[in-house]
Amino acid sequence: MIHIKTQPIQLALLAFVLLMLGAAQAQPAGEPQRLPVTQLRAGMHLIQAEVAQNDQQRAIGLMHRSSMPVNNGMLFIFEAPNRQCFWMRNTLLPLSIAFIADDGSIVNIAEMQPMSDDSHCSAKPVRYALEMNKGWFAKRGLKAGAKLSGGPWP
């Protein structure tokens, strides 16, 4: 039997390294992330939205995806209202983004081109943004002032 004497700091370091290796295996670089899904409603239209609610999830967003079903998207949740800005680096899909107020109303919508570093920002401080396939909001007649339901808002 081999007896190895380990110090608490060494154990903590080992645990940290193993945790990081596990996180790296769970989300390979260049692969689309898959997040928990919530159902939203825009009038009669149902949306299946993955929820990005921490810095890492929001930073990756919809990067590295080659397609997305018509009524799917990603809901970005921030801790506090702020002027939110998005770009499309490493994002292969053209997207529309709706910036959403605390009551679920759309503040403004922007059209975003794939693989671009151009910034698209909310017209005022918001805590939520919803990315959908480009043109999704326009095709359904949704614009600033329209309300969404089923999300973190009433």
Side-chain angles (χ1 to χ4, degrees):
M1 182 162 131
I2 300 173
H3 177 69
I4 300 173
K5 185 176 181 184
T6 2
Q7 300 296 325
I9 272 205
Q10 292 169 321
L11 285 175
L13 182 58
L14 178 61
F16 176 76
V17 168
L18 291 173
L19 179 66
M20 290 298 101
L21 285 173
Q25 289 174 352
Q27 181 61 52
E31 291 292 318
Q33 67 179 337
R34 300 292 178 206
L35 300 173
V37 174
T38 189
Q39 185 170 287
L40 308 175
R41 184 179 289 279
M44 64 182 212
H45 306 285
L46 292 178
I47 301 165
Q48 300 300 317
E50 290 184 51
V51 180
Q53 56 189 356
N54 64 42
D55 288 340
Q56 180 182 1
Q57 293 169 345
R58 290 188 297 255
I60 296 170
L62 290 169
M63 287 181 179
H64 310 294
R65 296 187 191 208
S66 57
S67 66
M68 184 168 62
V70 173
N71 291 316
N72 286 30
M74 184 167 285
L75 177 65
F76 295 82
I77 300 176
F78 296 88
E79 290 77 21
N82 210 334
R83 185 166 185 252
Q84 308 298 343
C85 294
F86 285 70
W87 63 359
M88 297 282 286
R89 182 178 293 165
N90 297 320
T91 305
L92 306 172
L93 305 170
L95 298 172
S96 296
I97 187 167
F99 296 98
I100 304 166
D102 280 354
D103 68 353
S105 62
I106 296 174
V107 171
N108 63 297
I109 298 171
E111 303 299 323
M112 304 188 298
Q113 296 303 315
M115 305 300 287
S116 170
D117 286 348
D118 293 345
S119 274
H120 304 277
C121 302
S122 59
K124 67 179 192 178
V126 297
R127 288 194 324 160
Y128 309 103
L130 176 62
E131 287 182 342
M132 301 292 289
N133 285 307
K134 187 172 183 181
W136 190 92
F137 298 101
K139 287 176 187 169
R140 288 151 185 83
L142 300 169
K143 47 185 133 184
K147 280 213 172 193
L148 303 179
S149 61
W153 44 82

